[in-house]
Amino acid sequence: MSIFNVELKKVIDDSYEIEIGYELQKKLIADINAGLGGNIKKYVVVTDSNVKPLYADKILELLISNGYKADLIVFPAGEENKTRKTKEYVEDTMLELGYRRDCCIIAVGGGVVTDLAGFVAGTFGRGIPFINYATTLLAAADASVGGKTAVDTPLATNLIGLFNQPEKVYIDIATWKTLPARQISSGLAETIKHACMADRKFFDYINDNMQAVFDVDDEVCGHIAQENCSIKYKVVMKDELESGLREILNLGHTVGRAIETVSEYILLHGEALAIGLMAEVKLAKKLGYCTDLDETLVQDILEKAKLPTKIPDYIDREKLLKKLYTDKKVKNGALRFVLQKGIGDVVSFGDNLYAKEIPESVAREIIMSM
Ligand SMILES: NC(=O)c1ccc[n+]([C@@H]2O[C@H](COP(=O)([O-])OP(=O)(O)OC[C@H]3O[C@@H](n4cnc5c(N)ncnc54)[C@H](O)[C@@H]3O)[C@@H](O)[C@H]2O)c1
């Protein structure tokens, strides 16, 4: 017998642009005409039932009128549809419509659409390109940028997926004008998370301009979108595959993701995250990394953003504690948390180590107190 060595070293350039602006549909088509996505002539616009009439129909129309083969695939809006079943539906519809490897997906919508469509693109025909056209503050702040794609499972959110970078991301702030206020609040949660972990000045800016975000003021929302990308990308460019530093983007998510699932998606992602941020600042205070004032500041800004800061009564605390163990930071069966240090920083626990092992008894104490 012999051993055959397969040499497959790769040098990959996954760089891409994020364009922040207003009404970017025509810009998207101009970019495609100018060669974004290579010479591809076939486009599948993936969207949800709410975004279809608002923004996706227009993009489809522009693609067709510019001479491309294009189709729209729509699935029902809502986190409960970010599933393998919906992924299968999108894939089978693409196959039935005759799409093969020579096509590109354009995801038009919030984080549910960009997560799901990016995952489809990663596995369809072993990988096709995709473009994100983000239409929620939450997708702009987090979901559509960074290259994490996934679907949920009955056990927990985002457990099955891929790191897959888009060709380009469009953040169309004009689309936030049709977002219900509850969705603006949800997006503000990821924005506040960024400020808590990385930038005190940004924290104060959000606090001072909260109403302007709800009013979708051009200048304030432009600044918010810019800061979110800048904070997230400083992290992602150093640690794309979450081997250390990228874990800091998980601030608030250990408890947040668990509550989101236990609530059976009654709570929006950002609402669950807000409760998670509150739990984790309490934990940081207990361990001496935050003060009473830091906790009050986090609570006040979340309340100002019309976000919940307490665990709702209908959440079974024991179920929630158990659910914490589905978190991807769990190592050797132990819970691990990212902890903020004051406002605008996180605690480093050693070389490229940003999550700390926390005994269940301590996590229990925090959860039972909320
Ligand atoms: N990949 C990542 O790194 C990452 C990061 C954070 C969150 N996420 C994921 O993002 C998802 C949450 O994102 P989301 O809050 O955007 O959810 P979403 O896509 O469900 O959008 C929220 C709601 O707003 C509607 N909508 C979207 N754009 C609209 C617009 N412009 N006007 C009116 N209605 C509009 C949608 O139809 C939906 O009902 C979760 O699945 C979460 O896990 C992913």
Side-chain angles (χ1 to χ4, degrees), residues 48 50-51 54-55 77-79 82 110-113 115 135-136 138-139 142-143 145 148 158 175-176 178-180 183 186 190 232 260 269:
D48 74 21
N50 292 334
V51 181
L54 292 169
Y55 307 106
E79 186 72 36
K82 201 177 100 177
V112 165
V113 175
D115 272 13
T135 65
T136 65
L138 194 137
D142 204 356
V145 292
K148 276 194 191 178
N158 299 323
T175 63
W176 302 359
T178 53
L179 274 179
Q183 297 293 347
S186 183
E190 292 284 6
K232 181 153 183 182
E260 188 181 6
H269 181 76

Side-chain angles (χ1 to χ4, degrees), residues 147-283:
K148 276 194 191 178
T149 69
V151 292
D152 302 332
T153 67
L155 184 71
T157 61
N158 299 323
L159 286 183
I160 309 284
L162 283 173
F163 284 100
N164 191 21
Q165 303 295 345
E167 299 301 301
K168 181 161 176 174
V169 178
Y170 296 85
I171 292 176
D172 183 348
I173 292 169
T175 63
W176 302 359
K177 292 195 199 299
T178 53
L179 274 179
R182 190 175 169 208
Q183 297 293 347
I184 298 268
S185 294
S186 183
L188 272 167
E190 292 284 6
T191 307
I192 292 166
K193 176 203 78 178
H194 281 150
C196 283
M197 60 169 237
D199 193 335
R200 173 64 199 248
K201 250 174 75 186
F202 187 40
F203 186 93
D204 293 338
Y205 181 88
I206 302 164
N207 221 348
D208 294 344
N209 292 281
M210 193 72 81
Q211 190 51 47
V213 181
F214 283 101
D215 296 341
V216 194
D217 173 88
D218 285 0
E219 199 187 315
V220 169
C221 290
H223 181 72
I224 294 258
Q226 195 87 34
E227 282 296 306
N228 274 323
C229 288
S230 151
I231 290 171
K232 181 153 183 182
Y233 265 86
K234 274 185 199 139
V235 175
V236 173
M237 284 189 294
K238 284 192 193 141
D239 179 21
E240 183 195 354
L241 301 182
E242 202 161 320
S243 58
L245 180 69
R246 190 168 178 167
E247 284 192 331
I248 72 172
L249 295 171
N250 258 266
L251 181 69
H253 280 73
T254 312
V255 175
R257 282 177 69 252
I259 295 190
E260 188 181 6
T261 316
V262 176
S263 83
E264 293 180 357
Y265 306 115
I266 291 174
L267 289 170
L268 298 177
H269 181 76
E271 292 169 339
L273 169 60
I275 300 168
L277 284 170
M278 212 50 234
E280 295 180 27
V281 76
K282 282 178 188 292
L283 178 59

Side-chain angles (χ1 to χ4, degrees), residues 254-255 279 283 286 311 317 320-321 324-325 335-337 358-370:
T254 312
V255 175
L283 178 59
K286 186 175 170 57
I311 300 173
R317 269 62 176 172
L320 174 57
L321 267 165
L324 293 179
Y325 287 92
L335 296 172
R336 291 167 68 248
F337 285 77
I358 299 292
E360 186 183 306
S361 56
V362 176
R364 172 183 292 274
E365 194 186 317
I366 302 287
I367 282 172
M368 295 305 168
S369 75
M370 293 178 71

